[in-house]
Amino acid sequence: MPEGLRRRVVLLPGDGIGPEVVIEAAQVLQAVSRRAAVPIELEEHAVGGAAIERFREPLPEETLAAAGAADAVLLGAVGVPRLDALPRGERPERALLGLRKGLGVFANLRPVRLHPALEAASPLRPDIVRGTDLLIVRELTGGLYFGTPRGVEGEGAARRARNTMAYSASEIARIARVAFEAARRRRKKVTSVDKANILEVSQLWRDVVDETARAYPDVRLEHLYVDNAAMQLVARPNDFDVILTENLFGDILSDEAAMLAGGIGMLPSASLGEGPGLYEPVHGSAPDIAGRGVANPLGAILSAAMLLRHSLGLPAEADRIETAVGQVLDAGARTADLARPGETAISTRDMGRRVREALDRGTPGERVR
Ligand code: IPM
Ligand code: MG
């Protein structure tokens, strides 16, 4: 096989349920590799608590180097409660921020799509969530997560802590362009979320988004304050197409939006920049259910689909995976997080196997090569 065809994916299973869901997604990638006759090489590295145990640091040099040299990175989750007492710079979560910054993945895409079969799995009323199909475009390498000065100073009652929310016009413009481009491929509406009634950062955000919008006259733009957006998201989710927002607001709104799609176990994400993309399910390490084989692997499997689409240039294979996931849900397969009272829950491995079987069968009318 010529070298140019070979695709390299670094797997970072991480902590908690991370390894359990990543293995299912990795097997889906292998199935795609076989059927599309594209060699996809998978290479595993340590991250998070798993890396702290082996290398005494959450993001070893060799992990970041391997990630940077790959075509794409598929991450499970990081976070171990036992390690929460470590100083901030040594906690497993540090690895995530290090990877995002190290790979320069400033654009975090979190599609929130409710599969019709899961209407009843949402804690919100079916008539409200029905038809939900939105995309959160979250800025990922700026804002409060990275701004300086930061830290805690002083002793005892005199302790004082601070973080800095800062954005440059160019950082805002580049994430705004991602949102407008995405909207062009969708329903052509961008809702930019800020706190421009209070924050200077948001005032600049709003100005730059307005300026960027001029190059996209075919896309409708609206601005919402973040508190109002949080309310509207659960009141009228169908009015949203692309939500464009900064790092912390996007973190909060994307967990809220997960509830529209039947739970956080369903949500995939892609983080994109100039180099390799970073793909991960939005759910965390879920230590309470880790090791029991009950986690929902669909967020990870749908992240693998995004990886094929955005980093490996295999959009048709991505579509196939999404179709297969839909078929499996239509057929009634539910992991514990999705099962309603009286419904039988299947294991992580069974859910992964069902998706691969659906993939092998292909969509009706399609010939499997
Ligand atoms: C997320 C997570 C992370 C974040 C944490 C684990 C650092 O909540 O990806 O949404 O806040 O970005
Ligand atoms: Mg979050």
Side-chain angles (χ1 to χ4, degrees), residues 78 93-94 96-97 100 108 110 138 140 145 247-248 250-252 254-255 269 280-282:
V78 296
E93 285 81 355
R94 197 66 214 145
L96 252 189
L97 300 198
R100 289 171 181 173
N108 182 221
R110 296 186 165 182
R138 167 189 176 192
L140 203 60
Y145 279 53
N247 205 342
L248 181 66
D251 178 45
I252 297 168
S254 58
D255 270 29
S269 80
E280 51 176 316
V282 175

